[in-house]
Amino acid sequence: MKDLKVIITLVLVMFTWGINVSALKYLVTYFDPITITSLRIMVAASSVFIILFVLKKIRLPRNKEWLYILGGATTNVVLHHYFLAEGLSKTSAANGGLILGLGPLLTATLSVLILRERVTFVRSLGFLFGGIGVGVIVLAGSGTIGKISFGDIEIFLSIASQALSFILIKKASQTMDAKLLTGYMFLFGSMILFIVSLVKEPGSLGRLNSGTPSIWAIFFFSALLATAVGHMMYNSAIEKIGAARSSIFLNLNTFFSLIAASLFLGETIYLAHYIGLALIVAGVLFGSGSLEAIIRNRNKHVPPVG
């Protein structure tokens, strides 16, 4: 039952993150990407600390927790978002989407090597199905895959840094609440990103005046619900069921992003997208351990023969 609640939570988080992709695409058409990203994460950090203050769960980090916080802020916030923004400006959407689809596999690999998490054969099939499903969906939207470029390398660095951050989050959650960890990561990460934006995007703060009430409404949806609440819930799932099992749900983000893009941006959905969805769902069932849990529960209720 506990795992079921985590699974439902992760599906809802992926749904929110899928909508957030369209929201972010809309925001970066009006504002400079690194600047608006740093401000969005800064608002998310403030929201997390307000929630934790109400819950009376705020405390200062202790000893090695500072290292995990700084490491998580660097990998999960600064490097991930920076390389993602830079990489997508230099490579095709197909290449970018396929490389991002490596996230669960990279996380699972690091979980086995560093955290010694056990990944069964059934769960390995889940990562395989999920990755193929992501590939089918991305290729359906573009039809081709371009040549390897420096942008592809930056996208890989983006998803690799995020995968590493999930490992750090899991290790830090042994002594620190994952929600509090999220707040500190966002706080320090957004500050570093903001400094980077001042160098990379001079004059960007002045361009914020072009925002309309509807654009800022989208900004606060992204910052408060998708980023603050979404990451608090996702990092809590890592704390409860592990980095590898949580990461398999990231594949659902691709499909929900597609649905949101169709509804809000008018993009077309093809038959191949539904095939990709079926593979992703199969991947989640296998990779999350849900299928194994169903089989165990059925075996418990099967009466003995003889």
Side-chain angles (χ1 to χ4, degrees):
M1 182 60 70
K2 180 181 178 181
D3 279 9
L4 179 59
K5 291 181 180 179
V6 175
I7 289 171
I8 293 174
T9 299
L10 283 171
V11 172
L12 292 175
V13 169
M14 292 306 114
F15 175 75
T16 305
W17 284 359
I19 297 176
N20 191 47
V21 172
S22 293
L24 294 179
K25 285 183 180 180
Y26 193 72
L27 287 174
V28 296
T29 60
Y30 288 90
F31 306 120
D32 294 286
I34 300 177
T35 299
I36 200 64
T37 297
S38 66
L39 294 177
R40 175 173 58 85
I41 297 175
M42 199 172 292
V43 170
S46 302
S47 304
V48 171
F49 278 113
I50 291 174
I51 294 172
L52 293 176
F53 176 78
V54 174
L55 297 175
K56 298 180 179 180
K57 289 188 175 183
I58 295 180
R59 67 169 176 83
L60 290 175
R62 308 186 189 104
N63 303 324
K64 289 185 178 181
E65 291 175 347
W66 281 109
L67 295 177
Y68 290 130
I69 289 171
L70 294 176
T74 301
T75 53
N76 189 275
V77 180
V78 180
L79 294 179
H80 173 63
H81 288 282
Y82 177 81
F83 282 124
L84 183 61
E86 288 289 305
L88 286 176
S89 67
K90 301 173 186 175
T91 189
S92 66
N95 282 33
L98 284 172
I99 296 169
L100 288 173
L102 293 173
L105 180 59
L106 287 173
T107 304
T109 302
L110 290 175
S111 297
V112 172
L113 294 177
I114 300 176
L115 300 178
R116 304 300 180 186
E117 287 190 12
R118 179 173 171 267
V119 179
T120 64
F121 175 73
V122 172
R123 292 182 184 178
S124 299
L125 287 178
F127 287 101
L128 176 63
F129 289 150
I132 294 174
V134 170
V136 169
I137 285 179
V138 173
L139 290 176
S142 65
T144 59
I145 303 178
K147 296 180 180 179
I148 296 295
S149 67
F150 186 69
D152 295 327
I153 297 175
E154 289 182 311
I155 294 292
F156 179 80
L157 291 175
S158 169
I159 198 63
S161 63
Q162 187 185 53
L164 179 59
S165 76
F166 294 154
I167 306 303
L168 294 174
I169 290 169
K170 177 59 179 177
K171 291 181 73 68
S173 66
Q174 295 174 1
T175 60
M176 173 178 275
D177 187 292
K179 301 180 186 66
L180 181 60
L181 176 66
T182 302
Y184 279 118
M185 284 170 46
F186 281 174
L187 177 62
F188 291 111
S190 63
M191 292 169 63
I192 298 172
L193 268 183
F194 183 71
I195 295 173
V196 172
S197 72
L198 295 178
V199 177
K200 294 280 293 184
E201 301 168 346
S204 58
L205 291 177
R207 290 187 283 274
L208 294 176
N209 293 327
S210 63
T212 63
S214 61
I215 294 174
W216 285 113
I218 294 173
F219 170 85
F220 283 107
F221 157 78
S222 175
L224 301 178
L225 187 59
T227 306
V229 177
H231 279 272
M232 285 174 66
M233 296 299 99
Y234 185 83
N235 292 343
S236 293
I238 292 177
E239 180 181 4
K240 294 173 182 175
I241 67 173
R245 289 182 65 189
S246 298
S247 69
I248 191 65
F249 288 86
L250 292 172
N251 288 324
L252 286 174
N253 191 12
T254 302
F255 178 74
F256 287 135
S257 299
L258 175 71
I259 295 298
S262 175
L263 293 175
F264 302 119
L265 302 178
E267 296 187 5
T268 305
I269 299 179
Y270 301 101
L271 175 62
H273 290 137
Y274 294 103
I275 297 174
L277 170 64
L279 288 168
I280 287 174
V281 171
V284 170
L285 286 174
F286 280 62
S288 66
S290 300
L291 182 63
E292 292 172 313
I294 292 172
I295 293 174
R296 284 196 301 268
N297 290 333
R298 287 189 62 183
N299 290 337
K300 288 180 180 178
H301 293 90
V302 174
V305 179

